Amino acid sequence: MGTTEIMSYEEQRRRRLEENKKKLEQLNLPHLSVALRGAVASPKASPAKQIKRKMSRDASLTPVRRSVRVAGLPEPNYREVASDFVDRPRRIARVSKRRGLDDRVYASDEAREYAQTKAEEVEAGLDPKFPSFVKPMLQSHTTGGFWLGLPVIFCNKHLPKRDATITLVDEKGDESDTIYLAHKRGLSGGWKGFSVKHELVDGDAVVFQLIKTTTFKVN
C-alpha cells in the first residue's frame, strides 16, 4: 500500500468520526449519558414508593380508627399468657354401705329345717278354704334387694293377672301395702318395710294365707 493510499484512508476515517460526532450532538446523547451516570451514582425512589413511605410514617403517628362501641375499651392483649390454676375442690367419693349388710344373719341348715317344719305345722292348722303356702326367707328377701318372689303356680292360680296392690296383715292385725308385679310373680315396693318392721332374717319361714283376692294373712 502506497503513501497516497494511506493518507486518503486516514482522511476518510477522520471525516466519518466528525460526521458521527455531529449526529450525536444533534440527538443530545452526551447529556443523556451524563444524566444516566448521575442516576446510577445516587438512585432516587420512585414517586409511588415515596408516597407509600410517607403514608407509613404518618400511620405510625396517627391513632387507629375504632368503632364507637369499642372506643372506650382497653387495648386488647394478644400475647399468650399462662392461665391461672384454679384449685377446684375435689369430689370426695363416699362409700355407702347397703343397709343391713353388717347385721346379716346366716342361718344353718338345721335352723332352716326347723323353721320350715314349724311353718308347715302352722299352715296345717289354717282353714283349708283359704289357699296358703310357706315361703323360706333368704338374704335377698330380708337384707339385700328386698324382692320377694312368690310360687309361680300359686300366682297363676290365685293372684291377679295384672300389677296390683296386695295388703299384708300380720298376727297383730296391722296392715302393710305392697306392690305385686304380675309379670314377675313377686312383691316389690312395700315388702322391704314389712320385712324390716318384723325383723325377718335369713332362715325364717313365713306362712302366707290368701284371705281375700288381694290380701294375705302373714304368720
Side-chain angles (χ1 to χ4, degrees):
M1 179 181 295
T3 304
T4 304
E5 293 178 355
I6 293 175
M7 291 296 294
S8 61
Y9 172 77
E10 290 293 337
E11 182 66 21
Q12 292 177 1
R13 180 172 176 275
R14 183 181 62 79
R15 289 177 181 179
R16 284 198 299 271
L17 290 175
E18 289 179 359
E19 291 176 357
N20 292 337
K21 185 177 179 180
K22 290 179 180 181
K23 290 181 179 180
L24 290 174
E25 291 176 354
Q26 292 176 359
L27 296 174
N28 201 19
L29 292 179
H31 297 285
L32 292 176
S33 62
V34 173
L36 290 174
R37 285 197 299 270
V40 174
S42 57
K44 295 183 180 180
S46 63
K49 291 184 179 180
Q50 292 178 358
I51 294 173
K52 289 183 180 179
R53 289 179 181 177
K54 184 177 180 181
M55 290 178 62
S56 62
R57 287 197 298 269
D58 295 341
S60 61
L61 300 176
T62 305
V64 180
R65 295 180 62 186
R66 288 187 176 182
S67 172
V68 178
R69 294 177 296 176
V70 298
L73 298 179
E75 291 287 340
N77 185 3
Y78 297 105
R79 290 181 300 175
E80 185 176 358
V81 180
S83 59
D84 296 334
F85 176 76
V86 179
D87 189 9
R88 297 181 179 178
R90 297 181 179 179
R91 293 184 178 180
I92 301 176
R94 297 181 179 179
V95 180
S96 59
K97 294 183 179 180
R98 184 177 294 179
R99 182 180 177 182
L101 293 183
D102 295 338
D103 300 329
R104 279 185 172 181
V105 177
Y106 295 90
S108 61
D109 293 339
E110 292 79 7
R112 293 180 189 278
E113 185 177 354
Y114 176 80
Q116 179 75 17
T117 300
K118 289 296 183 179
E120 290 175 354
E121 292 177 358
V122 172
E123 183 188 19
L126 299 177
D127 190 343
K129 70 177 181 179
F130 298 107
S132 62
F133 63 89
V134 175
K135 180 66 177 180
M137 295 291 102
L138 303 176
Q139 294 291 350
S140 60
H141 303 150
T142 59
T143 57
F146 291 99
W147 162 258
L148 182 67
L150 305 180
V152 176
I153 297 177
F154 186 95
C155 294
N156 292 340
K157 187 175 181 179
H158 302 289
L159 296 183
K161 305 303 180 183
R162 297 181 179 180
D163 296 352
T165 299
I166 291 184
T167 302
L168 305 181
V169 183
D170 63 12
E171 295 171 343
K172 296 180 181 180
D174 295 336
E175 297 182 354
S176 301
D177 290 337
T178 61
I179 303 300
Y180 172 69
L181 300 181
H183 66 290
K184 290 187 176 181
R185 279 94 172 172
L187 302 181
S188 179
W191 167 250
K192 177 181 179 180
F194 183 88
S195 175
V196 172
K197 178 181 178 180
H198 295 84
E199 299 180 351
L200 297 178
V201 295
D202 178 59
D204 287 343
V206 182
V207 180
F208 289 83
Q209 183 185 27
L210 189 65
I211 58 177
K212 293 181 181 180
T213 304
T214 57
T215 302
F216 274 113
K217 177 69 175 180
V218 183
N219 296 283

